[in-house]
């Protein structure tokens, strides 16, 4: 007998397509391009976007201040070669973040800032809308590229183009003005999904021309006293093995800039770290790899040998002939440039003076011995000086080479850089080209999130004050970080004397009795207050081993430190020379 099937009753209810907002499209666009972390601080008009970003499996690291979130994004960009992403609210939130994005652009860190923005049609008419600011035109002169999304359909393209702009050529910060009309626009999901695409060749390396390579090799092989100057651009490029081959195969001494420390070991046999002045005064050819001949290098003039010939490797042709003529500019991707130079050098004969490297090694040995004696002698200073504290820090950081060191301050920056040897690339992050203070907590968090590694931030008390509240962010996310605060009670030191017309503290005076460890207690961190090198050594060892948020308050003498550290020559006239 045949079986009949009763058809299912037809519903008379209307069927509506699933709908999504521009905020969802933004979250999907970030996921589509491979973004894993977003740093920011939510509020109108991006709060829901933060939740939707988490819903895509992207980590949203919420900060207490947008500048620090931006520093974290920039640090991720430097360490990974992929853009770190900052998200902020409009108006002052945007402005707070823009300082970090401008800094990323100057330092060539790939980064994308996405800020909620008021309706531009209302901003243009100066109608007094909520948090009215022409963010797009404010950002444009300070970043590598800028885009404005006025409708949701623009968002995937803007994100992809921002990524490409951030990493291509000389990396930098890119801004996306994410307007409220675009964020709030509603679309059918089916139509929204059609907007996403896989960008092709987000980074296209540029090959240097062969004539420039030939010229560079000819000058290098003819040098009597060659040297290599390594900048953070060389570290960023992640061409470590090629630099190692160039240095070791051709026996060329190297001088690393601050964030290039560890690209080749600071204490390696060809390290000229202790012979900076000799390199500048006596080298006849210096190959500059990923560095600028800027104020940190006396602009390539002054102390430098006037007959010096510079070979410079950089991805940006505009960097050539800045401050001094470059005898052999090699413009192109760092890896391809080094490949071409190594291939051309193969079988070539170097003309270096055989006494050059041994003389530098002898000078390094003598200076390093004096430096070690200086640190050893400082151990007995009570209250501690910077050098006494570093006598405890130095062996621990050097025994844990995979710990990333973040460092800022005046004397704290200068003395730590001089004292602590690095042996792995991209394991030192500091205030870089602009020498800005206030990057510490953001960079520490960005380094920990981006790499999963333990991070130690060594901070002056003044520098910590710029960003200290975001230590709470590290605690909230349970990151493996340790903050070490060198407290000498002031900016440069704590013995500033106020003018005789006031009873207020001196402009450089902070608080020598401050207990920064109590701030760590407030957020549930493991904390220490230390007054001797032995106490500091124990605290730092325990903190690194714990892989938990820790804060160490290091009590220094108020008179430890001097104004501007190694760059006192930049100061204006001394106070006693000024007539009030």
């Amino acid at each position: 007998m045949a079986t009949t099937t009763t058809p299912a009753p037809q519903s008379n209810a209307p069927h509506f397509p699933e709908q999504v907002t521009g905020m969802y499209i933004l979250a999907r666009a970030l996921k589509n391009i491979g973004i894993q972390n977003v740093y920011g601080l939510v509020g109108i008009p991006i709060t829901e976007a933060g939740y939707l970003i988490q819903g895509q499996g992207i980590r949203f690291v919420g900060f207490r201040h947008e500048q620090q979130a931006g520093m974290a994004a920039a640090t991720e960009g430097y360490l990974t070669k992929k853009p770190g992403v900052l998200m902020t609210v409009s108006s002052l939130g945007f402005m707070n973040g823009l300082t970090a994005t401008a800094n990323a652009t100057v330092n060539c860190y790939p980064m994308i800032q996405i800020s909620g923005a008021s309706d531009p049609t209302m901003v243009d008419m100066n109608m007094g809308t909520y948090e009215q600011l022409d963010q797009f035109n404010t950002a444009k002169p300070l970043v590598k590229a800028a885009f404005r999304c006025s409708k949701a359909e623009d968002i995937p393209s803007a994100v992809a183009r921002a990524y490409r702009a951030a990493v291509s050529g000389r990396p930098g910060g890119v801004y996306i003005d994410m307007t409220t009309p675009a964020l709030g626009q509603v679309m059918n999901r089916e139509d929204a999904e059609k907007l996403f695409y896989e960008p092709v060749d987000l980074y296209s390396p540029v090959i240097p021309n062969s004539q420039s390579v030939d010229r560079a090799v000819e000058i290098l092989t003819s040098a009597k006293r060659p040297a290599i100057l390594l900048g953070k651009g060389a570290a960023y490029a992640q061409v470590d093995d090629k630099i190692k081959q160039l240095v070791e195969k051709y026996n060329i001494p190297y001088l690393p800039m601050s964030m290039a420390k560890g690209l080749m070991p600071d204490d390696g046999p060809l390290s000229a770290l202790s012979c900076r002045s000799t390199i500048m005064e006596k080298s006849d050819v210096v190959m500059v790899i990923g560095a600028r001949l800027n104020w940190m290098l006396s602009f390539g003039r002054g102390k430098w040998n006037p007959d010096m010939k510079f070979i410079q490797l950089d991805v940006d042709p505009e960097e050539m002939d800045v401050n001094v003529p470059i005898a052999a500019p090699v413009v192109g991707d760092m890896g391809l440039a080094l490949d071409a130079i190594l291939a051309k050098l193969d079988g070539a004969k170097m003309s270096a003076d055989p006494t050059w490297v041994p003389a530098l090694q002898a000078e390094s040995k003598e200076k390093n011995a004096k430096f070690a004696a200086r640190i050893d002698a400082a151990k007995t200073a009570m209250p501690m000086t910077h050098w006494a504290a570093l006598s405890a820090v130095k062996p621990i950081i050097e025994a844990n080479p995979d710990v990333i060191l973040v460092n800022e301050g005046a004397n704290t920056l200068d003395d730590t850089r001089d004292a602590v040897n690095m042996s792995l690339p991209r394991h030192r992050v500091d205030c870089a080209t602009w020498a800005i203070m206030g990057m510490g907590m953001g960079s520490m968090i960005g380094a920990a999130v981006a790499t999963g590694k333990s991070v130690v931030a060594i901070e002056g008390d003044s520098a910590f004050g710029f960003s200290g509240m975001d230590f709470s962010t590290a605690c909230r996310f349970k990151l493996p970080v340790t903050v070490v605060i060198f407290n000498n009670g002031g900016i440069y030191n704590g013995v500033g004397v106020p003018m005789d017309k006031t009873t207020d503290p001196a402009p450089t005076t902070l608080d020598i009795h401050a207990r920064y460890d109590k701030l760590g207690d407030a957020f549930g961190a493991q904390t220490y207050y230390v007054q001797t090198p032995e106490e500091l050594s124990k605290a730092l060892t325990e903190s690194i081993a714990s892989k938990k948020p820790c804060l160490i308050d290091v009590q220094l003498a108020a008179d430890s430190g001097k104004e501007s550290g190694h760059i006192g020559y930049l100061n204006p006239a001394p106070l006693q020379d000024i007539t009030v």
Side-chain angles (χ1 to χ4, degrees), residues 16-51:
F16 296 104
E18 185 179 0
Q19 295 181 316
V20 296
T21 65
M23 287 180 278
Y24 168 82
I25 294 171
L26 173 59
R28 279 278 286 111
L30 292 171
K31 179 71 171 180
N32 188 63
I33 206 75
I35 299 301
Q36 296 178 316
N37 306 301
V38 171
Y39 306 89
L41 200 162
V42 298
I44 296 172
I46 63 162
T47 303
E48 184 182 343
Y51 283 103

